[in-house]
């Protein structure tokens, strides 16, 4: 595999709880709506900006968007822990010469907050966020864009994610798909369309890479 592409929330970092918290704060303040995590995650697809613009009833969407990022930043350390296994995986891939990419529905602004907080900025050769696409996952647009930036053909790449949208985007892009449930919070319990492979632990995935290269 020349290129290894990751989703972010629920795949590279356990950021879904802080996303939920920030969205819940926004919808409670502006719309007086108490939303569950499931209700919030059902809105996922567009970036945070897109989710608020599409789903918030209150007219002052710009202020709501700013509040989301404020709460995301303020509470990131409270909700999101550094994961040594994930960092070891990224370091291993870099040492093996793989190109590493991200395709996420997150906006660049929140992704940068998380990458900086977790010390992960240096690992990635190309990043496509929700700001960079017209059509979010499950559309394959983001996967195709990151493949172009990584100078990799679909058959040379794998896409790793925790949601149906990730797997469907990868399949439509023609890459090898990997479904993961290796962090405490993830989006899809049972994949609607089966990925090429799936893993519940980072160590099992690392072992599979070793077998692939042997």
């Amino acid at each position: 595999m020349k290129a290894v592409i990751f989703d972010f929330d629920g795949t590279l970092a356990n950021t879904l709880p802080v996303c939920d918290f920030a969205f819940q704060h926004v919808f409670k303040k502006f719309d007086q709506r108490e939303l569950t995590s499931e209700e919030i995650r059902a809105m996922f697809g567009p970036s945070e900006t897109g989710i608020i613009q599409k789903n918030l009833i209150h007219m002052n969407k710009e202020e709501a968007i700013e509040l989301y990022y404020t709460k995301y930043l303020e509470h990131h350390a409270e909700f999101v822990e550094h994961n040594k296994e994930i960092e070891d995986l990224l370091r291993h891939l870099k040492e093996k010469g793989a190109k590493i990419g991200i395709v996420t529905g997150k906006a660049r602004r929140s992704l940068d907050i998380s990458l900086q907080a977790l010390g992960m900025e240096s690992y990635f050769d190309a990043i496509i966020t929700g700001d960079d696409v017209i059509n979010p996952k499950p559309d394959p647009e983001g996967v195709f864009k990151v493949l172009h930036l990584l100078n990799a053909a679909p058959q040379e790449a794998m896409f790793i994610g925790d949601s149906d949208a990730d797997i469907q985007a990868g399949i439509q892009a023609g890459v090898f798909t990997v479904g993961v449930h290796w962090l405490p919070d993830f989006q899809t319990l049972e994949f609607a369309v089966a990925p090429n492979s799936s893993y519940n632990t980072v160590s099992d995935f690392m072992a599979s890479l070793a077998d692939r290269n042997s």
Side-chain angles (χ1 to χ4, degrees):
M1 285 289 164
K2 180 178 180 180
V4 182
I5 306 161
F6 292 91
D7 169 54
F8 191 79
D9 294 319
T11 301
L12 282 176
N14 198 48
T15 42
L16 289 168
V18 73
C19 296
D20 293 345
F21 175 87
F23 277 124
Q24 286 167 339
H25 195 91
V26 166
F27 281 95
K28 184 175 182 180
K29 176 173 181 178
F30 285 89
D31 284 354
Q32 291 73 55
R33 294 163 65 190
E34 300 269 2
L35 297 182
T36 65
S37 294
E38 289 73 21
E39 289 171 322
I40 288 167
R41 294 178 196 182
M43 301 175 184
F44 280 19
S47 69
E48 301 90 336
T49 300
I51 287 171
I52 291 170
Q53 288 174 338
K54 181 179 179 181
N55 294 281
L56 193 77
I57 298 167
H58 196 282
M59 294 296 289
N60 198 345
K61 299 184 193 300
E62 290 305 316
E63 186 180 339
I65 289 165
E66 287 304 311
L67 179 63
Y68 175 89
Y69 289 118
T70 297
K71 293 301 175 183
Y72 188 92
L73 176 60
E74 285 179 352
H75 293 271
H76 196 281
E78 174 187 340
F79 283 99
V80 187
E81 294 182 356
H82 175 264
N83 188 302
K84 185 178 183 299
E85 278 194 315
I86 294 291
E87 187 160 354
D88 288 345
L89 170 59
L90 294 173
R91 188 179 300 112
H92 172 77
L93 291 170
K94 294 295 280 187
E95 289 171 354
K96 292 295 183 182
K99 294 184 177 181
I100 308 177
I102 290 176
V103 175
T104 178
K106 292 175 86 63
R108 174 71 64 163
R109 186 170 169 184
S110 58
L111 179 64
D112 285 346
I113 290 170
S114 291
L115 290 177
Q116 183 176 0
L118 297 169
M120 296 171 70
E121 309 106 302
S122 64
Y123 289 107
F124 304 102
D125 301 291
I127 294 174
I128 295 294
T129 71
D131 299 332
D132 303 315
V133 297
I134 297 171
N135 303 301
K137 296 177 291 186
D139 192 280
E141 179 187 349
V143 181
F144 284 131
K145 284 191 169 184
V146 85
L147 286 171
H148 176 73
L149 292 174
L150 296 173
N151 192 29
Q155 62 269 24
E156 297 175 311
M158 67 169 64
F159 184 34
I160 303 167
D162 68 310
S163 74
D164 280 332
D166 296 324
I167 303 308
Q168 291 167 13
I171 289 170
Q172 291 184 75
V175 301
F176 187 89
T177 55
V178 180
V180 297
H181 293 147
W182 58 33
L183 292 177
D185 295 87
F186 45 82
Q187 292 187 54
T188 301
L189 182 59
E190 296 287 341
F191 293 108
V193 180
N196 293 116
S197 62
S198 58
Y199 300 93
N200 292 326
T201 68
V202 176
S203 59
D204 283 348
F205 177 67
M206 292 272 282
S208 78
L209 292 178
D211 290 341
R212 182 186 290 269
N213 292 327
S214 62

